[in-house]
Amino acid sequence: MLANLLFPDAGLQLDSIETSEQRITATVASTQTELKCPSCNRVAQRVHGQYTRSLADLPVSGRRVHLRLRVRRFVCDNHVCERRTFTERLPDFAPKSARRTKRLANLQTEIGLALGGEAGARLVHQREIPTSPDTLLRLMRRQPAAQAATPRVLGVDGWAWRKGREYGTILVDLERQCVVDLLPDRRAETLSTWLKEHPGVEIISRDRGGAYAEGATQGAPSAIQVADRWHLLANMRETVERLLDRHHTCLPALRLPQPEAGQSEAASCSPEPETKTVSQASDAKPLLTKVEGIRLERRTRRFTRFTKVIALHQRGVSIRAISQQVGVDRRTIRRYIAADTFPEIAKRRPRPSILDPWKPYLRQRWDEGCHNGRRLWLEIKAQGYQGSRSLLSAWIANLRKTAVPSAQPTTVTGEGCCTLPAATPKAQRQLSAKQAAWLVVKQPAALTVEEQEALAKMRQANADLEQVYSLAQTFGRLVRERKYQELDRWIESAKATGIREQRSFAAGLLRDKAAVVAALSLPWSNGQVEGHIHRLKLIKRQMYGRASFDLLRRRVLDDTS
Ligand SMILES: [Zn+2]
């Protein structure tokens, strides 16, 4: 009776039970009366002997359960059988050589798959089923991965498996909106092999050109390839960015939307020799905050590298040799060479804050003369602000710093025309090429008045940019409104410009034209893939550094199915 309750359908009888405060020990035995020899399949009834197996089982009433399972050894009486004896097995309850019952292993595997090794081990420990993270990982590995059906419409995209070092590929069923598989790299052969093993994919949405295009062509030659629209727009923006990198001097300054994020950073600077800058930086220190000082030093180092690269390049040294000598990667060297002037590093966008919606109001109150933190806090709280008071205090502290004209803008004069950093008013910052490129490709309605002014200045200052602006806007419209009929005309006008970045972008579109036309005429796009990559990263983070690729793949697929 009790045995049936504790071990339903396991075919076990309960011989004895001992309980202590933390632990229940149950001695059980199988109720099987006759067993078949696994070799000859003949029924054996003669017991040769018995031994005890030790197993962990599911906890009962918050106590650990330990099973002592008595197992018999039978004699095979078939004289022609090569087997003399065999042990009785309970594969559905206690698999061969297992140290835990199958139902406990299942529970641990489920927890491991849901939470990952470390968090899973913590949870099972609290639930009186202690096990190590390694055991959970081992149990998970044993679990066969769920197999998703081959999708008709497949989204392919890359994801950083170890940031900056290893990349994998995520495959998403765009119709069912689920992950179908993960591939360990981004190579064309890996994708094509997968596609050959999973015939039936009709449409493949992927990034622009490159390995995925090649893999898709090899693995599923009859599938329609769709260039992802997001990537199309991103490539256009990168084209503009490259152009702006080259014409760095015409980038305007823009008033900061959030003064607290503002650090006086340097304006553009032409590549003049500058040997004094480091000492100048330290001379200037009293006028700079600590962070500004560090930034200035870093920028000085970057600038020195930049001048070295340019000097070596002008002497005809190869990019590879420059890379070895200066210790800068080849991509950066190419960027330096293409740029007319020293390219500033792109600044991070200020992170969104829960305080953002109240900033205009706070600003207004501040300007009206209310500098009392508590009062301001009560005011916005009454308006529905749910963030912490310390967040507001930090913001106000920054406002105090920037509002008080404590120091004159730092100006350190170098030789010739070069100033490092040039004085940029505190509330203004020089746009990086990347930020400026955003202004060029964004829809005009999405720009603030200040951004519109900055954009107008840029366009006035540079004829190339003026041309690229209208091309970029037309292209954006063409992609957003899916006007594939106008693609040819657009490519022609882009090629007709004398701007090399624009021409090479147009040439790229032409090479991948079928997929680009598909992107502008079919509804499929990789939009949802981002969400899946985000979830994948979450799972990876939960698993800490212990996740091997196959394990991560298993968890992601299990999570999906
Ligand atoms: Zn036998």
Side-chain angles (χ1 to χ4, degrees), residues 34 65 73 77 88 99-100 173 196 215 219 222 225 262 268 289 291 294 351 361 376 462 509 527 556:
E34 50 184 40
V65 172
R73 187 165 270 280
D77 285 323
E88 69 177 324
R99 306 277 304 275
R100 52 180 55 77
D173 184 330
K196 281 175 196 157
S222 57
Q225 292 184 32
S268 70
T289 65
V291 175
I294 293 169
R351 266 185 288 172
Y361 173 79
L376 290 172
N462 190 303
L509 289 181
V556 170

Side-chain angles (χ1 to χ4, degrees), residues 37 39-41 76 78 81 83:
C37 165
S39 294
C40 66
N41 221 18
C76 179
N78 184 355
C81 179
R83 197 184 280 269

Side-chain angles (χ1 to χ4, degrees), residues 155-159 168-172 179 181-183 529 532-533 536:
V156 182
D157 213 337
W159 56 280
T169 299
I170 186 168
L171 304 180
V172 174
V179 180
D181 214 338
L182 294 184
L183 307 179
V529 177
H532 293 295
I533 292 178
L536 176 91

Side-chain angles (χ1 to χ4, degrees), residues 439 441-448 452 455 469 473 477 480:
L439 299 188
V441 298
K442 262 192 188 172
Q443 299 185 61
L447 299 179
T448 65
Q452 283 172 10
L455 178 64
Y469 176 74
Q473 287 294 324
R477 237 187 343 267
R480 280 190 293 271

Side-chain angles (χ1 to χ4, degrees), residues 227-242:
D228 180 46
R229 284 190 291 279
W230 183 88
H231 280 102
L232 280 175
L233 293 172
N235 292 153
M236 178 72 227
R237 195 188 67 241
E238 285 153 14
T239 304
V240 177
E241 193 182 324
R242 275 197 292 280

Side-chain angles (χ1 to χ4, degrees), residues 244-526:
L244 292 171
D245 242 346
R246 196 151 59 86
H247 298 289
H248 189 78
T249 38
C250 68
L251 294 180
L254 187 65
R255 217 179 73 205
L256 290 170
Q258 287 166 309
E260 72 273 0
Q263 301 286 355
S264 93
E265 263 271 355
S268 70
C269 183
S270 54
E272 290 291 316
E274 42 120 38
T275 45
K276 288 185 190 167
T277 39
V278 175
S279 65
Q280 281 160 355
S282 49
D283 288 348
K285 249 177 194 163
L287 290 173
L288 295 170
T289 65
K290 196 173 170 192
V291 175
E292 285 168 337
I294 293 169
R295 281 191 190 170
L296 179 56
E297 276 180 28
R298 279 196 196 139
R299 182 172 178 274
T300 307
R301 279 202 295 276
R302 244 183 5 254
F303 188 83
T304 313
R305 281 201 297 271
F306 171 76
T307 45
K308 265 189 206 160
V309 166
I310 297 298
L312 287 168
H313 176 67
Q314 280 167 354
R315 273 196 265 142
V317 181
S318 75
I319 289 180
R320 184 185 287 269
I322 298 177
S323 170
Q324 278 163 0
Q325 217 170 317
V326 189
V328 175
D329 74 273
R330 279 179 269 171
R331 216 180 118 192
T332 309
I333 293 176
R334 277 191 208 102
R335 222 179 98 225
Y336 281 178
I337 291 170
D340 291 345
T341 55
F342 175 53
E344 294 293 344
I345 204 156
K347 279 167 222 88
R348 222 179 283 167
R349 293 165 149 246
R351 266 185 288 172
S353 152
I354 191 169
L355 192 62
D356 284 345
W358 284 276
K359 281 178 185 168
Y361 173 79
L362 290 168
R363 194 82 228 198
Q364 183 203 330
R365 294 286 292 126
W366 184 270
D367 292 342
E368 284 165 13
C370 177
H371 295 183
N372 182 321
R374 185 179 152 74
R375 177 141 177 211
L376 290 172
W377 179 59
L378 289 172
E379 284 180 17
I380 57 170
K381 221 179 136 191
Q383 293 174 31
Y385 170 68
Q386 290 186 332
S388 67
R389 189 174 159 190
S390 58
L391 185 67
L392 174 68
S393 305
W395 187 77
I396 290 177
N398 254 309
L399 201 60
R400 281 213 172 91
K401 247 195 282 171
T402 45
V404 178
S406 56
Q408 291 301 310
T410 325
T411 309
V412 186
T413 315
E415 283 176 20
C417 75
C418 177
T419 56
L420 189 87
T424 311
K426 268 227 158 181
Q428 295 234 317
R429 82 178 152 196
Q430 179 81 19
L431 285 180
S432 68
K434 190 175 188 167
Q435 288 163 332
W438 272 107
L439 299 188
V440 174
V441 298
K442 262 192 188 172
Q443 299 185 61
L447 299 179
T448 65
V449 176
E450 278 153 350
E451 287 173 335
Q452 283 172 10
E453 281 167 8
L455 178 64
K457 254 189 241 166
M458 266 197 301
R459 287 168 58 190
Q460 252 170 17
N462 190 303
D464 278 1
L465 184 62
E466 179 63 35
Q467 262 189 320
V468 167
Y469 176 74
S470 92
L471 278 168
Q473 287 294 324
T474 319
F475 188 74
R477 237 187 343 267
L478 208 130
V479 173
R480 280 190 293 271
E481 295 166 18
R482 321 256 177 94
K483 292 188 169 159
Y484 64 93
Q485 308 89 332
E486 292 175 20
L487 182 67
D488 283 332
R489 200 160 7 117
W490 190 91
I491 291 178
E492 281 315 310
S493 41
K495 273 165 64 183
T497 66
I499 305 158
R500 62 176 187 241
E501 291 86 359
Q502 199 63 74
R503 289 162 64 127
S504 88
F505 178 62
L509 289 181
L510 217 49
R511 273 197 302 276
D512 198 21
K513 198 179 157 195
V516 175
V517 171
L520 301 185
S521 47
L522 296 176
W524 302 108
S525 195
N526 273 0

